[in-house]
């Protein structure tokens, strides 16, 4: 006896019914046998729950407090001035709004960076760990203890990162370009990660100068410490302005070290090149050219100085990436993998996908195919987390006038 059958699903591999039992996909095909519940999803596209590889819950929704910024440095400074006054309740409230929006947009796995330093202390971490429990019914939340404002130049941060891991953070993050000694920061974080057996996620190379990339430094240390498959790089916008040869060389380094790359199209487009006015280049890492590299697109910031907009739709981010990179319909499947399979590998999500035996973490799109869903930024209509329905947003419908009815 199955727990649930989703009839008339459109999967990437074709039309099928999906049988779910014990929180997992138990069968695919037709005539799957008896089930406690049967739902007809009327030939709509089904995807595995979307995966958000890079977001900042702790500083979301700050735009009304500090306004916009005209550079990365100004955005960091604006948030830094507010962090001392963050409370656990404040961060938890703002973060909850973003988590709920992401769930409604089909996200079921998320990695959030949480700033840990002498200004924020561990208050934001406490709030986000509470959110992890609050929304476990619909979302698996991975927490990255993150040094936004440097490490060697910010006494006390290293000890707080260690405390954050002891209190439940899942991994470590750094931002070498804000440190007075970027390479020393990288070395400290690798040593700490190895000591605690956790993954690493760096903000890296966030500018449009092709020189001075720290990708080689990260890749060298990844291989030296045996951390292949456990390091992710966010932004890496220097890749957008490198020569073809330099891009190929850096892609080869990343592939050899199995270091992943996550582009953040909304923030990367908004903050990069502001000083160049209408001549600003695209400023987004060309993920589709990084052969052999695990890649993802993600949201980053929502309604704050880094990104003064956002609805937490990963389909919108993948669609934006396709637009920016001039990718047509033939590349839509690859763009969809940037919000599903790619980030699932980065977060090391087990049993992810749409095969028998995978976790029944599924979303239904208001579209006939997943590619149509990407092209139209289709609304996710419902989601099933471990086979249990976790959200519902009924499809919009037109209300036509009834023939012969009198006007109101």
């Amino acid at each position: 006896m199955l727990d649930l059958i989703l009839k008339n699903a459109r999967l990437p591999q074709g039309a099928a019914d999906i049988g779910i039992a014990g929180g997992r996909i138990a069968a695919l095909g037709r005539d799957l046998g008896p089930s406690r519940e049967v739902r007809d999803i009327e030939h709509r596209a089904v995807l595995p729950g979307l995966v958000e590889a890079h977001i900042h819950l702790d500083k979301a929704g700050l735009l009304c407090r500090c306004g916009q910024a005209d550079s990365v440095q100004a955005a960091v400074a604006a948030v830094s001035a507010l962090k001392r006054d963050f409370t656990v309740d404040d961060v938890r409230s703002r973060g909850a709004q973003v988590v709920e929006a992401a769930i409604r947009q089909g996200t079921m796995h998320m990695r959030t960076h949480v700033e840990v330093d002498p200004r924020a202390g561990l208050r934001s971490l406490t709030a986000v760990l509470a959110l992890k429990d609050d929304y476990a019914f619909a979302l698996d939340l991975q927490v990255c203890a993150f040094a936004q404002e440097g490490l060697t130049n910010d006494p006390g941060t290293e000890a707080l990162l260690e405390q954050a891991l002891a209190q439940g953070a899942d991994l470590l993050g750094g931002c070498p370009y804000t440190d007075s000694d970027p390479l020393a920061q990288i070395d400290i974080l690798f040593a700490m990660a190895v000591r605690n057996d956790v993954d690493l996620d760096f903000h890296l190379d966030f500018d449009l100068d092709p020189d001075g990339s720290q990708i080689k430094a990260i890749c060298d240390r990844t291989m030296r410490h045996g951390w292949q498959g456990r390091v992710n790089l966010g932004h890496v916008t220097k890749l957008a302005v490198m020569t073809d040869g330099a891009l190929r060389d850096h892609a080869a380094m990343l592939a050899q070290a199995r270091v992943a790359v996550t582009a953040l199209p909304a923030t990367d487009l908004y903050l990069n090149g502001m000083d160049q006015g209408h001549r600003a280049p695209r400023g987004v890492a060309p993920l589709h050219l990084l052969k052999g590299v695990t890649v993802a697109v993600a949201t980053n910031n929502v309604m704050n100085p880094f990104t003064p907009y956002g609805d937490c739709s990963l389909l919108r981010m993948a669609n934006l990436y396709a637009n920016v990179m001039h990718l047509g319909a033939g590349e839509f499947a690859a763009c969809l993998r940037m919000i599903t399979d790619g980030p699932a590998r980065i977060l090391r999500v087990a049993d992810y996908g749409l095969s028998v035996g995978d976790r029944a973490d599924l979303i239904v799109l208001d579209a006939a195919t997943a590619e149509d869903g990407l092209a139209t930024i289709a609304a996710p209509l419902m989601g099933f987390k471990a086979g249990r329905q976790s959200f519902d947003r009924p499809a919009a419908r037109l209300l036509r006038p009834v023939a012969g009815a009198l006007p109101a």
Side-chain angles (χ1 to χ4, degrees):
M1 174 73 72
L2 296 168
D3 298 326
L4 172 67
I5 292 176
L6 298 178
K7 290 186 66 66
N8 298 314
R10 294 288 296 273
L11 304 175
Q13 61 266 41
D17 298 342
I18 304 171
I20 297 170
R24 293 184 176 270
I25 299 175
L28 296 170
R30 299 295 187 190
D31 301 320
L32 300 182
S35 176
R36 294 181 177 85
E37 182 182 1
V38 177
R39 300 278 295 273
D40 188 347
I41 59 173
E42 300 176 339
H43 307 285
R44 290 188 170 99
V46 172
L47 282 174
L50 306 182
V51 184
E52 173 66 73
H54 184 131
I55 199 167
H56 294 262
L57 296 178
D58 57 334
K59 56 190 181 188
L62 293 176
L63 196 62
C64 60
R65 301 184 193 181
C66 58
Q68 298 178 213
D70 59 5
S71 68
V72 177
Q73 295 76 16
V76 171
V79 174
S80 179
L82 297 175
K83 276 192 291 190
R84 293 185 189 278
D85 296 326
F86 283 3
T87 66
V88 172
D89 288 345
D90 169 46
V91 174
R92 189 172 181 176
S93 175
R94 288 185 287 105
Q97 293 179 49
V98 175
V99 169
E100 290 185 13
I103 291 169
R104 291 193 299 267
Q105 297 284 12
T107 297
M108 291 190 175
H109 305 272
M110 175 184 285
R111 173 180 290 180
T112 182
H113 296 262
V114 179
E115 295 183 22
V116 173
D117 58 34
R119 290 155 297 285
L122 297 173
R123 297 186 302 280
S124 296
L125 177 75
T126 299
V128 172
L129 289 174
L131 292 174
K132 183 174 184 174
D133 291 336
D134 292 344
Y135 292 97
F137 71 94
L139 179 88
D140 295 326
L141 182 59
Q142 201 176 89
V143 181
C144 177
F146 173 56
Q148 168 73 84
E149 299 184 49
L151 187 56
T152 66
N153 57 303
D154 202 10
T157 299
E158 184 175 350
L160 284 167
L161 290 173
E162 289 277 13
Q163 290 179 51
L165 291 174
Q167 291 189 20
D170 299 292
L171 71 156
L172 290 168
C175 193
Y177 58 77
T178 65
D179 203 301
S180 56
D181 192 342
L183 294 181
Q185 181 188 124
I186 293 169
D187 284 332
I188 290 169
L189 289 173
F190 264 99
M192 193 182 301
V194 171
R195 192 162 60 247
N196 291 279
D197 191 22
V198 297
D199 292 359
L200 285 165
D201 200 323
F202 291 94
H203 292 47
L204 203 77
D205 288 2
F206 191 16
D207 60 50
L208 296 180
D209 180 353
D211 297 324
S213 172
Q214 290 162 348
I215 289 175
K216 185 177 187 303
I218 295 285
C219 291
D220 286 347
R221 287 155 178 79
T222 298
M223 291 189 289
R224 183 190 315 160
H225 291 288
W227 239 237
Q228 294 95 325
R230 303 189 66 174
V231 180
N232 182 51
L233 306 179
H235 298 293
V236 207
T237 55
K238 284 181 181 289
L239 293 171
V241 289
M242 289 181 179
T243 65
D244 290 352
L247 180 62
R248 284 193 298 270
D249 290 345
H250 283 82
M253 280 188 273
L254 291 162
Q256 182 182 13
R258 290 171 50 210
V259 171
V261 174
T262 298
L264 310 163
T267 302
D268 296 345
L269 288 169
Y270 175 70
L271 284 179
N272 272 318
M274 275 190 170
D275 58 334
Q276 300 183 46
H278 69 276
R279 295 175 299 279
R282 289 175 292 174
V284 177
L287 303 178
H288 59 292
L289 301 179
L290 303 181
K291 305 304 180 187
V293 179
T294 298
V295 296
V297 296
T299 300
N300 194 39
N301 280 291
V302 178
M303 299 295 289
N304 69 14
F306 294 87
T307 318
Y309 30 67
D311 63 357
C312 300
S313 168
L314 284 172
L315 278 169
R316 188 181 307 282
M317 286 299 106
N319 176 288
L320 176 58
Y321 179 85
N323 271 271
V324 168
M325 295 300 176
H326 311 296
L327 300 180
E331 301 291 339
F332 287 177
C335 292
L336 284 165
R337 289 193 292 274
M338 295 177 189
I339 57 174
T340 53
D341 299 336
R345 286 197 295 274
I346 292 170
L347 272 63
R348 298 205 281 161
V349 179
D351 302 326
Y352 179 86
L354 294 174
S355 298
V356 172
D358 289 336
R359 294 168 60 178
D361 293 349
L362 312 171
I363 61 170
V364 179
L365 299 181
D366 193 12
T369 68
E371 289 78 9
D372 287 349
L374 174 78
T376 62
I377 316 179
L381 300 182
M382 64 187 78
F384 297 86
K385 183 68 174 168
R388 173 195 170 275
Q389 188 167 359
S390 53
F391 75 89
D392 183 43
R393 64 189 282 176
R397 59 191 182 92
L398 297 181
L399 301 177
R400 299 184 182 278
V402 177
L406 295 175

